[in-house]
Amino acid sequence: MSLIKSNLGQNISTAVEVLIETYKNLDSLFVELDRIGEEEGFLTLTPRFMRWKSDSDPAGWLTSNFIKLYQLEKDPDFSNNLGLKSGSLFGVEVDLLTNEYPVISLIRYTFDYSHWTKLPSISDHWIFFGPFRYDNFFNIYEEDGLWSSEPLDKAKKRYWGIQRAVARQIPLVEITTPESIRTKIFQELDQLPI
């Protein structure tokens, strides 16, 4: 019996060690995203990744979904003094808990920025997470690997004036070099339809 307890205990410790290494690798990815994004003309809107945390829900103890937001440097300034550009908002979402394997979603959001009173904070993750998950607020559909989300009327104000979102997914394990970040993330983001 003590051998079984020892093995179970070791499995838990090993799983936590693997998770910590995964987090370290994600931290390196986020640093490279910002560096390469800047080279490709993308401005970081969220210096840190956004995520959902909850002390009351055990699923919220583990950070498994991360979102970084960007805008194109070349887009004109928006006139609300928040430092926003008037063009699309781009999201890079890393999701570790999916049915198959961890993925990166490349997302283009269209917003009416007149609804914005502040820049997104870490805890505003839900605004950018919801459009492809909550069919009680969005019409969500997929065709040939391209996901689209249109807000229902009740979602527009709640989700800061969102008008539309489109996304594609790629396996996280395909992003292994700075060049893959450049070509598979930022060049693909720029090609997403409006």
Side-chain angles (χ1 to χ4, degrees):
M1 184 68 141
S2 65
L3 180 60
I4 291 173
K5 286 182 182 177
S6 176
N7 287 343
L8 289 175
Q10 186 59 45
N11 288 345
I12 293 169
S13 294
T14 300
V16 172
E17 289 172 11
V18 168
L19 185 60
I20 289 169
E21 284 304 309
T22 300
Y23 285 165
K24 287 179 184 176
N25 289 333
L26 286 174
D27 187 51
S28 296
L29 172 64
F30 296 137
V31 168
E32 283 296 287
L33 278 172
D34 288 351
R35 184 184 71 76
I36 294 169
E38 186 176 326
E39 291 175 3
E40 293 294 309
F42 286 82
L43 298 173
T44 304
L45 193 63
T46 49
R48 295 288 304 154
F49 57 82
M50 297 185 305
R51 71 340 185 213
W52 176 70
K53 289 294 242 180
S54 172
D55 289 340
S56 60
D57 182 349
W61 300 352
L62 167 72
T63 303
S64 61
N65 187 281
F66 311 80
I67 300 174
K68 289 280 295 171
L69 298 176
Y70 299 89
Q71 287 196 295
L72 288 173
E73 185 176 21
K74 67 182 179 185
D75 285 341
D77 292 337
F78 187 72
S79 60
N80 67 357
N81 296 322
L82 292 178
L84 288 168
K85 299 289 187 172
S86 62
S88 296
L89 186 66
F90 296 91
V92 177
E93 177 183 331
V94 176
D95 194 351
L96 300 178
L97 286 178
T98 66
N99 290 333
E100 296 178 45
Y101 47 79
V103 297
I104 293 180
S105 295
L106 309 174
I107 308 164
R108 180 179 220 145
Y109 301 97
T110 305
F111 279 92
D112 173 356
Y113 293 119
S114 66
H115 292 263
W116 288 39
T117 58
K118 66 181 186 95
L119 290 178
S121 66
I122 290 171
S123 62
D124 291 321
H125 172 269
W126 64 273
I127 295 163
F128 307 95
F129 178 82
F132 294 101
R133 291 175 175 86
Y134 302 129
D135 59 9
N136 57 327
F137 286 103
F138 297 91
N139 289 320
I140 305 164
Y141 48 96
E142 182 266 340
E143 185 176 327
D144 297 326
L146 181 68
W147 289 87
S148 296
S149 177
E150 305 279 343
L152 302 175
D153 286 338
K154 66 181 179 177
K156 290 177 184 174
K157 183 176 179 184
R158 177 183 174 107
Y159 284 84
W160 292 19
I162 191 166
Q163 296 173 324
R164 187 167 198 272
V166 295
R168 287 197 189 281
Q169 290 185 335
I170 57 174
L172 175 61
V173 296
E174 287 186 7
I175 305 304
T176 56
T177 65
E179 189 57 27
S180 63
I181 292 172
R182 185 177 319 283
T183 59
K184 293 185 177 188
I185 294 181
F186 287 106
Q187 290 176 7
E188 289 297 318
L189 277 173
D190 203 24
Q191 298 301 313
L192 285 172
I194 294 178

